[in-house]
Amino acid sequence: KVSYTAASIGDAINIVMDNAGAGAQALVISSAVAHTSPTVSITTVGGAGGDAVSIASTSASATGGCLKIVETGAVASNLIGLSYGGAHTGDAINILMTNAAAGAQGIVFSSAVAHTSPNVSLTSANGATSTLYMSNGSTDAAGHGINILQHGAGANNAINIGYDAASTGDAIKVVMTNAAATANCIDLTSAAAPTVPLINITSTGGDEGVVFQVASTASHAHGNVVEITESGTVANSLIALAYGGASIGDAVTITMNGAAAASQAVTIASNVAHTGNLVDVSSTAWVGADGAAIVGITHATGVFAHANASCLNITYSGNGAANGLGTCLRVVDNGGTASAYGVYIASATGEA
């Protein structure tokens, strides 16, 4: 037992091992007793810069760590257990790597065990703060905030998010208010020929549950809400819609109640000498309902504001081929009966 009776600045125990052998140890504690109290206990009132334990190492060896703990028993105890006995505002672990080498890492986990529990587990009580917070100050293109390298050909997910209650928060929320104009929210690159969708969304639906929604306030002429560029020469469709059941909903619905007067619902521009139809509608089903059509155009209310306004306007300004069979409109009826019309016009004005 060592006791101080005055404010001595000397060490209670000072061990100098400058001339000791490489295998010599300064302090060895060995016990075969199942202790119910700490083998080594340190109690301090703290102070400005007064660490309870301070370790300084000048070792240049790759295996000469400052602190090493080896657990040889198959027990459920923690190798390191930290607990707060009061409303302490300090960090449990604070790693400062200001002077570390560029290749040094703050924490490294290596495991060869097929774990049945997480390598790192964070459990947080309710509060107006994040469970995990990262601030990345790197300006290098490779200095990612989070970088995940998936090893092996397993079926596990690189990132998996699950809800155990009816939380109203978002699974992933990205706020890019201060990001550069060229920054992407999500950048997905695939070098393989996938046999499944790169992005797969499965929803049970609902009265108000939109599966995919994009809301844009862009005012730039090129600020498209969705833009798809096909650079390959494959036969796949850029957009393919398929019904797997007897859904009564429309495949595509465009509502333009608040659009500008000059805006258009669909615009097709092409400089290719097409050998097929730019717009192709094919149906093998019998159209039997009254007034039903393969393509229907209805202007139900209001009047046209100009004499040249039409439900359908076809303008051809090119040079038609000799003996052309309908540069603006061609109707071929191969299945009509003797009493059927290839083209039928009913006009309330008496003029066709």
Side-chain angles (χ1 to χ4, degrees):
K1 182 177 180 180
V2 179
S3 300
Y4 279 41
T5 58
S8 172
I9 59 174
D11 303 321
I13 298 175
N14 190 323
I15 302 175
V16 180
M17 301 183 65
D18 292 344
N19 299 318
Q25 297 171 287
L27 178 64
V28 177
I29 299 175
S30 178
S31 175
V33 179
H35 291 276
T36 58
S37 59
T39 302
V40 177
S41 179
I42 300 175
T43 303
T44 177
V45 296
D51 300 318
V53 176
S54 178
I55 301 175
S57 173
T58 58
S59 173
S61 174
T63 58
C66 291
L67 178 64
K68 184 177 182 179
I69 301 175
V70 178
E71 173 65 71
T72 59
V75 294
S77 57
N78 303 319
L79 290 183
I80 298 177
L82 305 177
S83 62
Y84 281 36
H88 189 70
T89 59
D91 302 321
I93 297 177
N94 190 315
I95 301 176
L96 184 62
M97 301 185 66
T98 306
N99 300 320
Q105 297 171 284
I107 298 177
V108 177
F109 291 93
S110 297
S111 176
V113 179
H115 290 277
T116 57
S117 60
N119 277 339
V120 178
S121 178
L122 300 176
T123 302
S124 175
N126 188 26
T129 185
S130 304
T131 302
L132 179 63
Y133 177 79
M134 293 186 181
S135 178
N136 183 18
S138 175
T139 58
D140 193 283
H144 310 299
I146 298 177
N147 188 29
I148 300 176
L149 177 61
Q150 184 83 344
H151 281 290
N156 57 307
N157 303 320
I159 297 177
N160 191 68
I161 300 175
Y163 281 37
D164 65 353
S167 173
T168 59
D170 303 321
I172 297 177
K173 182 175 181 179
V174 182
V175 179
M176 301 186 66
T177 306
N178 299 320
T182 55
N184 296 321
C185 179
I186 298 176
D187 188 1
L188 193 155
T189 303
S190 174
T195 57
V196 295
L198 289 179
I199 299 177
N200 186 33
I201 301 175
T202 302
S203 173
T204 57
D207 292 339
E208 300 293 335
V210 180
V211 176
F212 191 82
Q213 178 173 328
V214 180
S216 174
T217 58
S219 58
H220 196 278
H222 299 291
N224 302 320
V225 176
V226 177
E227 182 169 336
I228 302 174
T229 302
E230 174 64 75
S231 302
T233 58
V234 293
N236 60 298
S237 304
L238 291 184
I239 298 177
L241 305 178
Y243 279 41
S247 174
I248 59 174
D250 301 322
V252 177
T253 297
I254 301 175
T255 303
M256 302 185 66
N257 294 337
S263 61
Q264 297 170 288
V266 177
T267 299
I268 300 175
S270 176
N271 61 358
V272 178
H274 291 275
T275 58
N277 301 323
L278 277 179
V279 177
D280 186 75
V281 180
S282 176
S283 175
T284 58
W286 174 259
V287 181
D290 184 14
I294 302 297
V295 177
I297 301 175
T298 302
H299 182 71
T301 59
V303 297
F304 287 125
H306 196 279
N308 293 333
S310 306
C311 282
L312 179 63
N313 185 20
I314 302 175
T315 302
Y316 179 76
S317 301
N319 296 320
N323 301 320
L325 300 177
T327 54
C328 285
L329 180 64
R330 182 184 180 189
V331 179
V332 178
D333 187 352
N334 292 324
T337 60
S339 60
Y341 297 96
V343 177
Y344 180 80
I345 299 175
S347 176
T349 64
E351 296 182 5

